[in-house]
Amino acid sequence: MTQEEIKQTLLQRLKSIAPDTEPSQLKPDDNIRQTLGIDSFDYLQFIVALDEQFGIQTPEEDYGKIQTLKELTDYVDARVKR
Amino acid sequence: MPDNLITYRECIKQAIREALLGDERVFMMGEDVGRYGGAFAVSKNLLQEFGPERIMDTPLSEAGFVGAGIGAALGGMRPIVEIMTVNFSLLALDQIANNAATLLHMSGGQFNVPLVIRMSAGIGRQLAAQHSHSWEPLFAHLPGLRVLSAGTHEDARYMLAPALLDPDPVIIFEYTSLLNLENKLPENTGSIDISKAKVRREGKDISIITYGTGVYKSLEAATELAASGIDAEVVDLRILRPLDEETIIASVAETHRALIVEDASKSVSISSEVSARIMERCFYELDAPVKRLCGAEVPIPYPKHLEDAAVPQPAQIVSSIKNILQHA
Amino acid sequence: MLEYRMPSLGADMESGFLREWRVKPGDQIRKGDIIAEVETQKGIIEIEVFDEGTIGELLVKVDDKVPVGTLMATIIPAGEAVPVTAEKAPAAIGIPAAEVAAAEEHHIRASPLARRIASEKGIALSSIHGTGPDGAITRDDVEHAISARMAPEAKPELQKEPPTAPKEGISETKSAIPSAPVEVIPTKPTSAPGFSTETVRMAVAAAMSKSNREIPHYYLETRIDMCSALNWLSEANKQRPVRERLLPAVLLIKAVARALNDVPDLNAWWEDGLQRKASINVGYVVSLRTGGIMVPTIHDADSKSLDELMQALNDLIPRARALRLRSSELADSTITVTSLGEGGVETVYGVIYPPQVALVGFGGITEQPWAENGMLDVRPVLTATLAADHRASDGSTGSRFLTAIKNYLQQPDKL
């Protein structure tokens, strides 16, 4: 999976969790939760989606490392390839 | 014994010994229970330990000594009456059905009969048609009795104590084919609740509802099914009267399918009753018709291969379940 | 003969539009079955029956406006004989097509469970392919049919949607399954026709105006050290797969429910005086991204484990956002909890949802200086407020209640 494919998949997942937002307009360094207005419940759904889609069990202490689209894509990329 | 393994026989013996030590009103009587040590060596050496007043050999007269047991119970004792095998219990059926089971009612609630009758039952030791009966359904039909079935080492070891505490008559079925079987006892069991069935293995795809010798067979089948990705729950009824409907219904409501397994022949059996209750209570939870695997409707044959074929075996349980689940 | 009347789905509701009957005369019903869909300002609500028996007559037509209390249907109680009505007897001519279809359903081989699920989801059995014994339709077959309808256009990897996937649309697509590929993946959360965020806004407006007009509110506030609660939660979540992780909200809901056991005067309705409620049904405020709020009910919150509460939230929140709740989930709450979550403000002063008598508000958890035993420390601090009806309770009652919540949150392992 290329970085771009990962990013597109992440955006699709965000869109299905927050259907009335436009994740595709996120800039690489935007804070995802603040920009899209994703609350803790939706965020947990997204973490579950990461597990379903990529098999990544994100520990809670890593939540701070994946606040922007760029951070998130890198994070997934590093774990998918391994 | 290595790994704390214990035979089913030893479990029964320990239960009797514990009861005798714990309450001086408890005594045991039956054919050959004393000097001979029990027809199946269950009470070996108990006569030497407790003396002839508490381990009492009786004449070959089931109606006589069961009646004596009822009298002793009415008089304040806590008798354990051993009927050597279920096959001889018909000789005592008048005492059991007409006296033990009804005296509380006939006396307007004045006289409880705190009697425990143990009898061995079951098929599988080539004893032929007259000595291989599965008459659990016969006794489970009688109001006024509590009927227990010790299908596991745990129940063989721990059912007797609560049965003796029951103010009313209790029948305990034990199984000769299990006597030499070694197993571990679960830790921290202490006393068991003789009003509740027990889920011996949890599963989500189908409920195998069984009792007696069906319990270990069903557990064996469930382990084999697990290898094919089928997650079967095993419910040990263990109380055949009054049936613990709640546990049965709760299990079927989770799995939505049921297979009932018993050695007794199919017509008018425990499985007929369980099946009817499932239909009455949770029809709308069923995703497949309830199926039954029971003994064949024949006198049990003597030859080993025919005897085995007359009652459900683990392989049949496995194939029936695969069939119900349409598992190719 | 029992009467089924249009239920009130909140103090502010006067009427609703019947959009679909889920039953027909002669159908067997059990307590909790959904018999109709009613459109209110809060979306399409599935309304439930609380009797057991057989549907007699349906007295309201689809798309009629139905005031609260209107007789909608008659129910023949279980055990009474069902009269054979003229329309049920075989007619020589002119049997309506719908009735023919209904009659055919009875000849389809389907397990009782499959039949029940299909009927709950409004799916015609005739449209489902059976794979069970002798071609019988099983639960799996119905569930496959449901998922096929939910996301007919979804790409394969998107079929296993998390529970946020809006579940509406099933009943709308009963006959017509869109076959053309559609590019947009998610459906809109509010695809039910006829209402919008404005109607939700108006419903909130009506309820809150009534509250402020009629209820003499008093407010209490306390700060709660969340150190042990959050530590416990973080340890608990480390042991769990992501799908089973807990959110702080479940601790808060459970603490409120436990505190209500101690202070039952706040678990009540004010209707011609104080009416204490036996069940503790917590209404949990779910804010809609497009504005407005929904307050679904978590029934018997005091007897639910933290895992069960989390499952309840997983079930309710997506349906609340999609405006697909059941009548009992809107009308049964005995108290309301609002939690603003992290990142927001610290304190919320709520407005009580009538006829309830209390609302608990939790602000965001922020790090704050904390003095204890003569020492100063930095702790995660939560501000809890109580808005309570002064007709129903007094400050000392409220104070005991907030203190109880605070104490329960110091022992999260016992919740």
Side-chain angles (χ1 to χ4, degrees):
Chain A
M1 236 182 175
T2 66
Q3 278 249 355
E4 185 56 28
E5 283 166 345
I6 291 172
K7 188 177 128 190
Q8 287 309 321
T9 312
L10 291 169
L11 291 177
Q12 280 178 3
R13 284 295 196 169
L14 285 168
K15 179 79 183 171
S16 69
I17 282 164
D20 33 29
T21 63
E22 288 304 334
S24 55
Q25 292 178 7
L26 278 171
K27 297 190 196 75
D29 293 322
D30 282 348
N31 181 306
I32 299 171
R33 291 184 62 178
Q34 283 174 13
T35 311
L36 301 183
I38 287 180
D39 67 12
S40 54
F41 179 82
D42 286 341
Y43 193 62
L44 183 54
Q45 303 308 307
F46 182 67
I47 298 292
V48 170
L50 286 185
D51 181 27
E52 276 180 357
Q53 187 84 48
F54 302 107
I56 299 175
Q57 296 246 338
T58 315
E60 283 185 329
E61 55 263 33
D62 282 2
Y63 287 5
K65 299 180 191 165
I66 48 174
Q67 295 190 355
T68 69
L69 190 58
K70 182 166 186 330
E71 288 170 350
L72 178 61
T73 312
D74 290 346
Y75 184 89
V76 171
D77 191 24
R79 280 155 185 79
V80 166
K81 279 179 182 161
R82 216 176 286 155
Chain B
M1 263 175 268
D3 296 332
N4 308 318
L5 287 175
I6 182 168
T7 60
Y8 183 89
R9 172 187 288 109
E10 181 65 19
C11 288
I12 301 173
K13 182 179 178 182
Q14 285 187 9
I16 296 169
R17 205 173 157 265
E18 180 185 73
L20 289 162
L21 288 170
D23 184 343
E24 59 185 17
R25 296 172 302 172
V26 173
F27 71 100
M28 184 161 86
M29 63 174 155
E31 295 161 358
D32 284 341
V33 299
R35 278 180 195 81
Y36 188 69
F40 305 108
V42 162
S43 49
K44 201 170 181 187
N45 295 330
L46 290 182
L47 173 67
Q48 287 77 354
E49 183 175 358
F50 292 97
E53 300 224 312
R54 303 192 70 196
I55 301 291
M56 213 178 283
D57 277 320
T58 64
L60 304 190
S61 172
E62 281 76 10
F65 66 77
V66 171
I70 293 169
L74 287 168
M77 301 297 281
R78 292 291 180 273
I80 303 169
V81 174
E82 177 178 304
I83 296 179
M84 187 186 292
T85 77
V86 70
N87 312 292
F88 313 131
S89 67
L90 295 197
L91 292 162
L93 199 55
D94 178 53
Q95 287 298 338
I96 296 171
N98 266 328
N99 287 332
T102 60
L103 279 176
L104 181 65
H105 169 79
M106 294 304 290
S107 67
Q110 294 181 82
F111 301 132
N112 293 89
V113 181
L115 167 72
V116 173
I117 300 175
R118 298 173 35 243
M119 48 178 102
S120 25
I123 297 161
R125 286 165 57 104
Q126 283 193 273
L127 296 171
Q130 293 169 316
H131 289 76
S132 300
H133 291 296
S134 298
W135 279 335
E136 291 92 334
L138 200 63
F139 287 90
H141 185 67
L142 299 173
L145 298 181
R146 180 178 295 277
V147 180
L148 314 184
S149 164
T152 63
H153 289 62
E154 178 190 17
D155 285 352
R157 174 66 184 83
Y158 295 111
M159 260 182 176
L160 182 63
L164 282 164
L165 290 176
D166 194 307
D168 298 309
V170 178
I171 312 276
I172 303 180
F173 281 90
E174 298 161 358
Y175 297 93
T176 47
S177 62
L178 300 178
L179 284 168
N180 291 326
L181 187 67
E182 292 187 333
N183 207 337
K184 279 187 203 172
L185 277 177
E187 286 170 22
N188 306 324
T189 299
S191 83
I192 58 171
D193 181 351
I194 55 166
S195 65
K196 302 298 277 182
K198 182 156 184 176
V199 176
R200 298 281 175 197
R201 180 190 201 279
E202 292 190 359
K204 59 177 175 36
D205 293 332
I206 187 165
S207 302
I208 309 177
I209 301 168
T210 186
Y211 64 91
T213 50
V215 179
Y216 285 138
K217 288 178 184 174
S218 298
L219 287 168
E220 186 184 330
T223 305
E224 193 180 330
L225 287 164
S228 317
I230 296 173
D231 190 11
E233 179 149 305
V234 177
V235 179
D236 176 4
L237 290 170
R238 69 177 181 177
I239 317 303
L240 306 181
R241 179 182 193 94
L243 273 179
D244 171 17
E245 261 185 48
E246 300 311 318
T247 301
I248 299 168
I249 301 305
S251 175
V252 177
E254 281 290 312
T255 61
H256 308 290
R257 300 175 188 95
L259 173 72
I260 312 169
V261 178
E262 69 178 329
D263 279 0
S265 56
K266 195 178 231 176
S267 303
V268 199
S269 59
I270 301 289
S271 62
S272 333
E273 184 61 29
V274 170
S275 174
R277 306 259 184 129
I278 291 171
M279 192 279 294
E280 286 170 348
R281 288 281 307 275
C282 64
F283 180 74
Y284 293 100
E285 293 291 349
L286 288 175
D287 203 27
V290 174
K291 294 279 182 194
R292 298 189 281 158
L293 269 181
C294 305
E297 309 264 351
V298 295
I300 299 300
Y302 171 77
K304 181 68 180 150
H305 66 291
L306 293 180
E307 185 181 45
D308 286 347
V311 291
Q313 302 297 341
Q316 282 170 280
I317 301 176
V318 168
S319 62
S320 294
I321 287 177
K322 287 187 171 170
N323 208 0
I324 294 169
L325 294 172
Q326 298 283 298
H327 202 277
Chain C
M1 186 74 73
L2 302 169
E3 295 177 336
Y4 187 83
R5 292 178 182 278
M6 179 73 168
S8 168
L9 308 171
D12 43 299
M13 173 168 163
E14 289 170 0
S15 64
F17 288 91
L18 175 68
R19 289 305 184 208
E20 185 182 351
W21 278 114
R22 294 274 198 91
V23 293
K24 56 188 184 309
D27 279 2
Q28 299 286 325
I29 47 159
R30 295 193 304 167
K31 185 172 184 298
D33 280 357
I34 292 159
I35 66 162
E37 292 190 9
V38 170
E39 182 185 328
T40 72
Q41 289 173 311
K42 293 174 185 171
I44 300 274
I45 307 300
E46 298 176 321
I47 59 175
E48 299 144 275
V49 285
F50 298 95
D51 297 299
E52 194 161 321
T54 308
I55 296 289
E57 277 184 277
L58 302 180
L59 302 167
V60 174
K61 287 203 298 292
V62 168
D63 293 336
D64 277 2
K65 182 174 183 178
V66 190
V68 169
T70 305
L71 184 60
M72 293 180 75
T74 56
I75 297 170
I76 301 147
E80 276 183 28
V82 181
V84 179
T85 58
E87 68 228 64
K88 281 185 72 191
I93 46 160
I95 300 170
E99 286 201 25
V100 174
E104 279 171 359
E105 295 268 287
H106 290 289
H107 298 297
I108 295 171
R109 295 179 81 92
S111 79
L113 180 66
R115 207 172 270 281
R116 195 186 89 201
I117 296 172
S119 134
E120 280 170 8
K121 302 291 184 190
I123 291 192
L125 287 173
S126 52
S127 67
I128 301 173
H129 173 66
T131 64
D134 300 322
I137 297 168
T138 65
R139 173 179 58 165
D140 275 357
D141 299 330
V142 179
E143 284 172 355
H144 283 145
I146 291 169
S147 57
R149 278 156 211 228
M150 269 176 64
E153 70 280 23
K155 293 172 186 171
E157 76 266 20
L158 288 169
Q159 292 217 334
K160 273 199 293 173
E161 285 287 358
T164 45
K167 293 199 174 171
E168 86 288 356
I170 293 166
S171 53
E172 277 92 56
T173 56
K174 209 178 280 179
S175 48
I177 303 169
S179 53
V182 181
E183 278 305 311
V184 183
I185 294 139
T187 50
K188 283 208 149 193
T190 55
S191 67
F195 63 89
S196 62
T197 51
E198 284 85 67
T199 62
V200 174
R201 186 76 263 154
M202 293 313 288
V204 173
M208 295 299 98
S209 302
K210 178 181 167 70
S211 175
N212 240 21
R213 197 163 58 234
E214 294 181 6
I215 302 181
H217 286 63
Y218 71 90
Y219 297 95
L220 302 173
E221 170 180 328
T222 190
R223 292 166 78 229
I224 300 175
D225 175 8
M226 290 295 283
C227 202
S228 42
L230 292 184
N231 284 343
W232 180 88
L233 195 65
S234 140
E235 284 307 311
N237 279 343
K238 268 185 202 158
Q239 318 293 327
R240 290 155 177 269
V242 287
R243 192 172 278 285
E244 290 167 24
R245 278 184 198 166
L246 301 175
L247 289 171
V250 296
L251 293 176
L252 302 180
I253 292 167
K254 191 65 191 280
V256 167
R258 295 284 299 271
L260 283 173
N261 270 325
D262 301 341
V263 188
D265 276 352
L266 295 180
N267 190 61
W269 284 2
W270 183 269
E271 278 179 335
D272 304 316
L274 183 67
Q275 298 178 7
R276 280 192 190 176
K277 295 291 175 182
S279 302
I280 295 181
N281 299 333
V282 173
Y284 185 70
V285 178
V286 175
S287 60
L288 307 180
R289 219 180 302 280
T290 45
I293 51 173
M294 296 291 277
V295 191
T297 306
I298 302 167
H299 288 95
D300 302 311
D302 56 330
S303 57
K304 285 194 162 67
S305 68
L306 294 176
D307 284 300
E308 288 166 338
L309 287 172
M310 192 65 213
Q311 283 163 17
L313 290 182
N314 283 334
D315 172 43
L316 287 172
I317 293 178
R319 286 198 289 117
R321 292 225 166 107
L323 307 183
R324 300 289 304 193
L325 291 168
R326 295 179 180 178
S327 47
S328 63
E329 289 161 349
L330 280 175
D332 290 353
S333 297
T334 54
I335 191 165
T336 300
V337 169
T338 181
S339 169
L340 295 182
E342 70 272 60
V345 298
E346 287 169 25
T347 313
V348 49
Y349 296 98
V351 180
I352 298 166
Y353 186 47
Q356 296 165 29
V357 301
L359 176 145
V360 187
F362 294 107
I365 300 172
T366 55
E367 287 204 329
Q368 289 182 23
W370 186 269
E372 197 172 83
N373 297 330
M375 301 287 284
L376 198 55
D377 196 357
V378 175
R379 299 271 172 88
V381 174
L382 169 73
T383 302
T385 55
L386 171 72
D389 184 338
H390 218 324
R391 296 172 302 182
S393 70
D394 305 304
S396 63
T397 310
S399 170
R400 274 195 292 132
F401 176 65
L402 273 189
T403 306
I405 294 176
K406 186 176 189 164
N407 291 340
Y408 282 121
L409 286 170
Q410 300 316 305
Q411 296 176 303
D413 52 330
K414 300 210 173 96
L415 279 175

